């Protein structure tokens, strides 16, 4: 009995060793194949980057080709650009979009919720990736980020700029800007963020996409998506960002832009009225172009996605 048991045990152990050895050999052969792939061979990957002050920024880096960076609006994140990112990646571009500090998947630091820091964060990311001849695209607050980046860091790495539904030159009403929006509007936004921000964002989504206009075809999914992205921002970060996008004066930044520039803006923008933004800003940038979209809302990158993509592609290839 013992002889039979020992023989069976030896057979079982030998078989187990053979199986383990085979698995190890298969794994050893598979590992080089997996690791031998060059980093840029994957068309889509996601990464994080740590700034000099220890803030972790999430960013997407899709595709290969000429580089286009994207800066999102408040209080959203890089996902708001997916319709443009995927389109351009399929059309021969490398697209990079980050979540601004305090937004989306980036960390939520207590400090640095101002336009200078936003621009410097972007500059650090661009330098870390060592990308050059980039086209910079910004929507809403992101357009201000692009303008401030150029104002602070120049255009040595920049080939083109596109500002879509953007806040420059300055949103706040003042003696120097009588057409601007009164401070009470932005105080109301801050109250909404500090209070029942979940309902506030649900309500804000409606004029953002023009869903309150007759004949609107905005889906419930788009409205829900806006709420989801907004709730991913830090409350303190979103609150302090209101001052950044409403009170920062980008006039001198715009005057420093010396690359081909395109302004794209909806004529029925209820969030950043066109008369006090793009129609003024385009006159401050030498040889800038503008496309104004009749009846289009602030969130035109979603509601007019195909047309925006076509116009953007034509400018980038021009």
């Amino acid at each position: 009995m013992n002889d039979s048991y020992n023989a069976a045990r030896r057979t079982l152990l030998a078989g187990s060793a053979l199986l383990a050895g085979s698995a190890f050999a298969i794994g050893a052969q598979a590992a080089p194949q997996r690791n031998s792939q060059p980093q840029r061979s994957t068309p889509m990957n996601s990464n994080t980057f740590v700034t000099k002050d220890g803030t972790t920024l999430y960013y997407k880096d899709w595709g290969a080709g000429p580089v286009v960076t994207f800066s999102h609006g408040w209080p959203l994140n890089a996902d708001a650009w997916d319709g443009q990112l995927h389109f351009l990646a399929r059309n021969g571009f490398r697209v990079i979009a980050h979540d601004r500090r305090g937004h989306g998947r980036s960390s939520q630091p207590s400090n640095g919720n101002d336009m200078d820091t936003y621009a410097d964060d972007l500059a650090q990311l661009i330098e870390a990736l060592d990308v050059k001849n980039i086209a910079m695209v910004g929507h809403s607050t992101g357009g201000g980020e692009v303008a401030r980046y150029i104002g602070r860091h120049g255009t040595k790495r920049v080939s083109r700029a596109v500002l879509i539904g953007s806040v420059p030159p300055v949103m706040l009403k003042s003696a120097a800007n009588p057409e601007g929006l009164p401070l009470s509007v932005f105080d109301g936004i801050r109250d909404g963020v500090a209070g029942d921000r979940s309902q506030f964002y649900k309500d804000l989504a409606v004029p953002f996409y023009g869903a309150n206009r007759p004949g609107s075809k905005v889906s419930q999914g788009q409205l829900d998506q806006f709420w989801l992205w907004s709730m991913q921002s830090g409350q303190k970060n979103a609150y302090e960002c209101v001052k950044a996008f409403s009170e920062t004066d980008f006039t001198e930044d715009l005057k420093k832009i010396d690359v081909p520039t395109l302004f794209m803006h909806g004529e029925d923008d209820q969030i950043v009225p066109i008369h006090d933004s793009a129609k003024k800003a385009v006159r401050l940038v030498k040889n800038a172009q503008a496309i104004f979209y009749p009846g289009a809302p602030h969130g035109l990158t979603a509601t007019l996605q195909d047309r925006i993509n076509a116009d953007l592609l034509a400018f980038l290839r021009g």
Side-chain angles (χ1 to χ4, degrees):
M1 179 177 177
N2 288 339
D3 291 343
S4 299
Y5 170 80
N6 290 334
R9 185 171 181 271
R10 286 194 297 271
T11 300
L12 177 61
L13 291 174
S16 299
L18 178 61
L19 180 62
S22 299
F24 178 81
I26 292 172
Q29 292 174 1
Q33 293 177 358
R34 183 174 61 251
N35 295 334
S36 64
Q37 296 295 325
Q39 186 175 359
R40 294 300 307 158
S41 66
T42 303
M44 298 184 182
N45 56 56
S46 299
N47 305 277
T48 57
F49 166 77
V50 180
T51 66
K52 292 177 181 177
D53 72 351
T55 299
T56 299
L57 299 182
Y58 171 90
Y59 70 96
K60 304 182 183 189
D61 188 347
W62 295 356
V67 177
V68 188
T69 63
F70 288 83
S71 295
H72 63 80
W74 177 93
L76 309 179
N77 59 54
D79 289 354
W81 286 115
D82 277 0
Q84 287 68 50
L85 300 178
H86 192 196
F87 172 79
L88 290 178
R90 297 198 318 267
N91 280 276
F93 290 85
R94 179 183 176 186
V95 291
I96 300 168
H98 70 293
D99 289 355
R100 186 173 299 114
R101 64 169 55 212
H103 296 69
R105 290 140 294 197
S106 292
S107 58
Q108 300 179 4
S110 180
N111 300 320
N113 303 302
D114 59 85
M115 201 58 65
D116 286 353
T117 305
Y118 298 155
D120 292 349
D121 285 348
L122 179 56
Q124 289 179 53
L125 176 60
I126 288 171
E127 289 164 9
L129 295 174
D130 195 26
V131 288
K132 301 179 177 69
N133 297 317
I134 62 177
M136 303 187 75
V137 182
H139 175 249
S140 196
T141 299
E145 184 176 283
V146 169
R148 182 51 54 94
Y149 170 92
I150 293 176
R152 288 174 68 83
H153 302 279
T155 56
K156 60 183 181 294
R157 290 179 179 267
V158 182
S159 63
R160 293 173 182 271
V162 182
L163 282 74
I164 306 175
S166 295
V167 298
V170 59
M171 291 192 73
L172 184 65
K173 182 177 182 179
S174 66
N177 184 41
E179 301 85 9
L181 296 173
L183 182 62
S184 60
V185 171
F186 304 108
D187 285 342
I189 295 173
R190 279 183 279 259
D191 288 344
V193 173
D196 184 357
R197 66 186 184 122
S198 181
Q199 187 59 51
F200 173 76
Y201 290 142
K202 283 181 178 289
D203 295 341
L204 182 61
V206 175
F208 188 97
Y209 292 115
N212 55 342
R213 296 307 198 213
S216 169
K217 297 181 180 179
V218 177
S219 70
Q220 187 61 47
Q222 283 184 318
L223 300 176
D224 292 345
Q225 189 170 242
F226 179 93
W227 173 85
L228 175 63
W229 293 333
S230 299
M231 289 300 294
Q232 290 174 348
S233 64
Q235 186 179 50
K236 184 177 189 293
N237 308 101
Y239 183 96
E240 294 180 359
C241 186
V242 176
K243 181 179 179 68
F245 73 66
S246 64
E247 298 185 29
T248 302
D249 189 339
F250 300 97
T251 300
E252 296 305 314
D253 301 304
L254 293 170
K255 292 178 180 179
K256 292 179 181 178
I257 299 178
D258 57 1
V259 295
T261 302
L262 174 64
F263 289 88
M264 308 167 78
H265 212 109
E267 291 186 350
D268 190 30
D269 191 323
Q270 300 173 68
I271 307 299
V272 182
I274 189 172
H275 68 273
D276 192 46
S277 53
K279 288 193 174 181
K280 288 184 176 180
V282 70
R283 298 196 298 266
L284 295 171
V285 179
K286 187 176 181 180
N287 298 322
Q289 303 175 45
I291 304 176
F292 299 147
Y293 300 85
H298 190 58
L300 70 172
T301 56
T303 62
L304 293 181
Q305 179 175 299
D306 291 344
R307 185 173 175 189
I308 295 297
N309 287 352
D311 290 342
L312 182 59
L313 181 64
F315 179 73
L316 295 175
R317 287 178 170 173

